[in-house]
């Protein structure tokens, strides 16, 4: 009898030991959490050179975060710089990140890599690319346009910002689509309400109160937008010869919305945007006469047409 009891006791003890071992083993086994995630709220962006930019987002881990590292890589050279490296977090499972770059730091394209590792050593990384538009070189173009008249069909009232020549209405219509595609401006001298002033206009528009070329608009004429610059806006262009790229034109892009450049005078500077998005500025060089035959305007143009990239 005692032997039977002892066997039972031994069996019970063995079962308890096995159960305890099994429970301890289960308790020590790590939970198989999913890998961390990286989500950008400010990720891939395209910006102009010398424009401040931020990259931000959130890292999340179902288990606890162990390690987060943020790196910047210059795309042209491959140079990598560590911006942040963390092993301690205010909240074990979440890290909100944001890295800011001043305008002086944004000079060429780069990427930001965020790598996160959790307590189970599962690692994930995600990259955002900041594409930096480099300055586009400007070309110097000179253009002379003659004043449009009610009955004048043969003077060079139309002009091209890209090739620097003018056409009369007859020449433009005879030349057809290939010629009209080159035309960006046309010129007239307003005397409406006795406010005498020269005006350069988009070739797809006609002024109210006037009849030019039987009120005909060139078939397929392009749309050009203008912004007559204030004194402050024109300041970067005061040394005209030193303007060699579109760095100072780009910030004006969203302001260039008018269909005409009105109240022109010698020395005035006007920013313009062609239909294809090409930017430029022109300076009024000469205004000869008013609204009579053979009266004209000459402008000096800086056009950023994408032919050369300035490093």
């Amino acid at each position: 009898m005692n032997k039977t009891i002892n066997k039972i006791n031994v069996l019970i003890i063995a079962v308890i030991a096995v159960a305890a071992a099994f429970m301890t083993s289960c308790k020590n086994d790590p939970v198989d959490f999913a890998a961390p995630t990286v989500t950008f709220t400010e990720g891939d962006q395209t910006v102009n050179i010398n424009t401040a930019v931020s990259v931000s987002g959130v890292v999340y881990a179902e288990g606890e975060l162990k390690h987060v590292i943020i790196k910047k890589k210059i795309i042209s050279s491959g140079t990598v710089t560590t911006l942040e490296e963390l092993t301690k977090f205010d909240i074990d499972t979440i890290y909100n990140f944001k890295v800011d770059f001043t305008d002086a730091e944004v000079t060429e394209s780069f990427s930001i890599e965020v790598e996160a590792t959790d307590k189970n050593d599962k690692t994930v990384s995600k990259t955002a690319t900041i594409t930096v538009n480099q300055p586009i070189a400007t070309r110097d173009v000179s253009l002379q346009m003659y004043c449009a008249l009610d009955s004048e069909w043969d003077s060079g009232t139309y002009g091209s910002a890209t090739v620097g020549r003018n056409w009369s209405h007859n020449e433009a219509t005879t030349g057809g689509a290939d010629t009209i595609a080159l035309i960006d401006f046309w010129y007239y001298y307003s005397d409406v309400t006795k406010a005498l002033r020269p005006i350069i206009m988009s070739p797809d528009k006609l002024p109210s109160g006037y009849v030019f070329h039987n009120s005909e608009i060139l078939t397929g004429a392009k749309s050009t937008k203008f912004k007559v610059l204030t004194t402050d806006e024109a300041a970067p262009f005061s040394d005209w010869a030193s303007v060699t790229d579109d760095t100072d034109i780009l910030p004006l892009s969203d302001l260039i919305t008018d269909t005409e450049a009105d109240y022109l005078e010698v020395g005035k500077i006007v920013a313009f945007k062609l239909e294809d998005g090409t930017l430029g500025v022109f300076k009024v060089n000469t205004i000869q006469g008013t609204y009579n035959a053979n009266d004209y305007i000459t402008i000096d143009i800086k056009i950023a047409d994408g032919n050369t990239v300035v490093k």
Side-chain angles (χ1 to χ4, degrees), residues 265-296:
E265 56 188 51
V266 172
K268 271 287 185 184
I269 295 177
V270 178
F272 63 87
K273 183 188 295 183
L274 304 185
E275 187 170 273
D276 66 359
T278 297
L279 295 173
V281 288
F282 67 74
K283 179 175 69 173
V284 178
N285 190 24
T286 306
I287 298 173
Q288 174 61 44
T290 55
Y291 49 84
N292 300 304
N294 298 319
D295 290 340
Y296 61 85

Side-chain angles (χ1 to χ4, degrees), residues 20 29 32 38 71 73 79 108-109 127 140 142 151 186 200:
D29 284 344
D32 189 22
V38 176
K71 298 177 181 179
K73 179 180 179 180
T79 302
E108 58 182 312
S109 299
T127 300
D140 290 311
S142 294
S151 58
W186 72 275
I200 291 178

Side-chain angles (χ1 to χ4, degrees), residues 139-144 160-161 163-165 285 298-301:
R139 289 190 299 115
D140 290 311
V141 179
S142 294
L143 176 63
Q144 179 173 295
S160 171
V163 300
R165 66 152 291 180
N285 190 24
T298 61
I299 58 177
D300 295 328
I301 301 169

Side-chain angles (χ1 to χ4, degrees), residues 145-149 187-191 196-199 287-297:
M145 292 178 291
Y146 288 88
C147 184
L149 302 175
Y187 174 64
Y188 75 102
Y189 205 102
S190 171
D191 63 353
L196 296 173
R197 73 236 189 232
I199 300 172
I287 298 173
Q288 174 61 44
T290 55
Y291 49 84
N292 300 304
N294 298 319
D295 290 340
Y296 61 85
I297 190 170

